[in-house]
Amino acid sequence: MSIRDELLKEIEGIQKECSLSDRAFSLGATGNPKFLSRLRKGNVTLSSIEAARQHINALRREEAQP
């Protein structure tokens, strides 16, 4: 599985957990509402991928707090 596929799977999981649309996740992660559609096409930068991972971690921390 490629890094892109792994990241997409991780994003889809957090979207379900937090009830986030593609647009909501994209805006929260990168400020770009088209981030996920571009990621699916394979047209993103490494810094955007890192921002998405940081956003996923932040969402998980929020979900874990009582």
Side-chain angles (χ1 to χ4, degrees), residues 11 15-16 18-27 36 40:
I11 290 169
Q15 282 181 292
K16 286 179 186 174
C18 298
S19 300
L20 294 172
S21 66
D22 285 359
R23 178 174 166 66
F25 179 86
S26 295
L27 283 171
L36 271 176
R40 288 184 180 108

Side-chain angles (χ1 to χ4, degrees), residues 41-59:
K41 293 177 186 174
N43 189 20
V44 295
T45 63
L46 181 56
S47 62
S48 294
I49 291 171
E50 290 171 348
R53 290 213 185 270
Q54 289 174 355
H55 188 55
I56 290 167
N57 292 334
L59 290 169

Side-chain angles (χ1 to χ4, degrees), residues 22-23 26-27 30-39 44:
D22 285 359
R23 178 174 166 66
S26 295
L27 283 171
T30 64
N32 178 350
K34 295 186 179 188
F35 167 72
L36 271 176
S37 64
R38 291 183 177 158
L39 177 62
V44 295

Side-chain angles (χ1 to χ4, degrees), residues 14 17-19 56-66:
I14 200 74
E17 288 175 37
C18 298
S19 300
I56 290 167
N57 292 334
L59 290 169
R60 285 191 176 137
R61 283 192 299 273
E62 288 176 16
E63 287 289 311
Q65 291 180 355

